[in-house]
Structures are given as structure tokens and as C-alpha cells.
Amino acid sequence: MIGSIDPVPEQPLLGKYMRLRREGLGLTQEEVAARMFISLSLYRKLESGDRPPSGSRLEDWCRAVEAPRWLLKKLVSLALPDIGHSTIVVGEWPPNLREEDLEHLEAIPLPAYFHRFPEMEVLAANSIAGMAFPWLAPAAPDADRPTNVIEQMMTVPIAREVLINWEAIVHRMVFSLRTMGPGVVKPERLAQIIETCSTNPEFEWMWNTDLSEDEFNDSLVLAKNPETGGRMAFTMRSYNAMHPYNCPYQLFMLTPRRDPGVA
């Protein structure tokens, strides 16, 4: 144990998430079954793991317990591991990125990265991202492991100096790792990230504190302009390729936006 953080979390079952959500709302199994229009015996089998749920059953359950979209995505990732997450082999470094994908990344005229999600490993960065955030550059091909965004955010002092809303950005990443990582990220790699980040005393409360759906969906990044010292506002977006379908990594981009703090 590192504080109150389990460095190798138990590999969760769908039913564990279903039970925790139901109990957190103070609902009985009977009440959730009624909301899903299924029998109590069937619901018990779903929550115990004796009956694998279909995609439509997962959607029905999420509506019944008003689950946020991230939880639906997590349940889908457990039920269908090849859907909704990067599928690069865990622990594979360096990644086998195609030349056409690297050319595509470099052609984007804004800071852009290829990430492995949900652990937020940096697989590649374009030259603009390298100039703007050199501490998030990909690791060398002969490195033991890739650069990790969460580790860098937690341990590199310049991250907090550059990012004005550092706490909100990092908390969202830590929350994503905690909720979506187990069952998807290799336990040994998850333990490495937790151990590295735990050198920062703020990591434990971020790991153990939930976010509202609005906080989780917040996309604002505020950074200091290195030349003027003023504020720059960006929208943070992550994309999974629909075509070609053989791009098993997430495209992460920052695009300029109006600063909500400026009238």
C-alpha cells in the first residue's frame, strides 16, 4: 500500500461497478431491475457476473442508475476489451507507429500527440507540441518505458508553472486512470505510475476524490504565455480514429479558444 492507494488494484468485474453505483445511490437490486424492466433474478445474475450483459443491457443499466458516459465506456471496455480503448500491446516500447500516421500528426498546425489511453503514455508528438511542452516529449526508443503524461504532470515542476489550472487538468487525468485503468492497463504498469506519482502529496487525494460529470467533461486548459506572461486558453480534445480503423492510439490536441475569464 502507498498511503490509501492500492498499487496493484484488483482486476474489477462489471458487477463490481454495477453494485458500487447502485449502492452509492441507495438503490436496491429490486429497484434497479424494475427500472430496467427485467426480472430480479436476471438482474442478480448481471450484478454477480453469472450472466454477461449485452450492449443494450449496459445502456439500460446506465439509464436506470443515471450513470455518466465515462462509466458506460468503462463497462463496455470490460465487457468488450477491444472497443473504446487503445489496443497497442501493453508494455510495448517503442510503439510501432506507421510513417503515414507520423506525417498526419506533423501536419496538424497545433500541439498534437498520439497517446495510449487510459494510462496516458506519450507515443509521439509533433514539432509544435515539442516546442510548447518539451517535458512531454516521447521517450527515447531505447528507454525502459514511455513518457507518461500523468507522471510528468505530477513530478515535473514546470508543469504547474505553465498550466494555470493544473489541478483541474491533472485531477481529471488521475480520475480517468483510476476509473478506467483497472482491467485495461497491465497491473504492473499501473503500479509504476502510482508509485511515481505518489511522490507528490497531492496525488493521494486526487486518486481518492471523485469528479462530477461536468468536472470530468471540462476541456479548458489555461497556460501562461512564455513571452508575455499572459494567459492562453485552449480546448483539450482526444480522438479515436474511425478510419482507418487500424490506428489503435488516441490523437490528443490543443486548440485555441476564448478565455472564459476575460470579459
Side-chain angles (χ1 to χ4, degrees):
M1 292 286 286
I2 302 174
S4 60
I5 302 169
D6 185 352
V8 185
E10 173 191 355
Q11 296 298 291
L13 299 173
L14 284 169
K16 177 182 177 181
Y17 282 89
M18 296 172 72
R19 177 178 58 81
L20 291 175
R21 177 70 179 181
R22 175 179 59 78
E23 291 178 346
L25 295 174
L27 298 173
T28 65
Q29 290 183 327
E30 290 86 346
E31 289 171 322
V32 178
R35 293 183 182 188
M36 293 177 65
F37 301 101
I38 61 175
S39 67
L40 175 58
S41 61
L42 175 55
Y43 182 80
R44 285 175 173 166
K45 289 177 182 178
L46 295 174
E47 195 170 288
S48 67
D50 293 334
R51 176 75 67 84
S54 63
S56 60
R57 285 269 190 256
L58 288 177
E59 290 182 339
D60 290 343
W61 177 82
C62 284
R63 281 192 290 267
V65 298
E66 300 178 352
R69 289 188 61 83
W70 67 259
L71 184 52
L72 172 59
K73 185 174 181 179
K74 174 61 184 178
L75 295 183
V76 170
S77 75
L78 291 174
L80 304 168
D82 291 336
I83 295 179
H85 291 278
S86 304
T87 54
I88 289 178
V89 176
V90 174
E92 178 184 291
W93 183 258
N96 186 23
L97 299 175
R98 296 169 305 188
E99 190 63 32
E100 67 178 85
D101 294 326
L102 295 175
E103 290 174 351
H104 172 68
L105 187 68
E106 189 59 36
I108 297 172
L110 298 162
Y113 298 85
F114 285 140
H115 284 168
R116 181 163 55 220
F117 183 82
E119 60 268 54
M120 298 294 289
E121 311 281 31
V122 181
L123 306 179
N126 65 9
S127 56
I128 296 177
M131 290 186 292
F133 308 101
W135 39 279
L136 290 176
D142 59 351
D144 293 335
R145 65 194 204 194
T147 298
N148 182 274
V149 178
I150 305 174
E151 289 180 335
Q152 295 296 94
M153 289 286 196
M154 277 285 173
T155 61
V156 178
I158 195 173
R160 191 158 197 162
E161 296 172 12
V162 170
L163 298 173
I164 297 170
N165 60 333
W166 173 91
E167 183 177 298
I169 296 168
V170 180
H171 193 182
R172 185 163 56 248
M173 292 180 179
V174 171
F175 178 75
S176 295
L177 181 66
R178 175 172 68 86
T179 55
M180 299 183 187
V184 177
V185 181
K186 190 175 181 180
E188 291 80 3
R189 180 60 181 130
L190 188 54
Q192 285 180 332
I193 297 171
I194 292 172
E195 182 177 9
T196 300
C197 292
S198 292
T199 60
N200 186 322
E202 293 179 84
F203 177 71
E204 184 172 334
W205 78 260
M206 286 187 180
W207 181 269
N208 290 313
T209 304
D210 288 341
L211 291 176
S212 68
E213 190 159 9
D214 286 343
E215 290 172 325
F216 180 74
N217 288 323
D218 183 20
S219 62
L220 176 65
V221 172
L222 294 173
K224 290 182 180 178
N225 187 313
E227 297 180 356
T228 66
R231 290 172 29 140
M232 301 183 297
F234 299 92
T235 293
M236 181 171 60
R237 286 282 189 272
S238 296
Y239 301 90
N240 290 319
M242 296 301 294
H243 184 273
Y245 197 65
N246 57 352
C247 292
Y249 27 81
Q250 209 170 64
L251 174 63
F252 176 91
M253 294 175 55
L254 292 174
T255 57
R257 66 185 283 180
R258 181 182 62 83
D259 189 338
V262 177

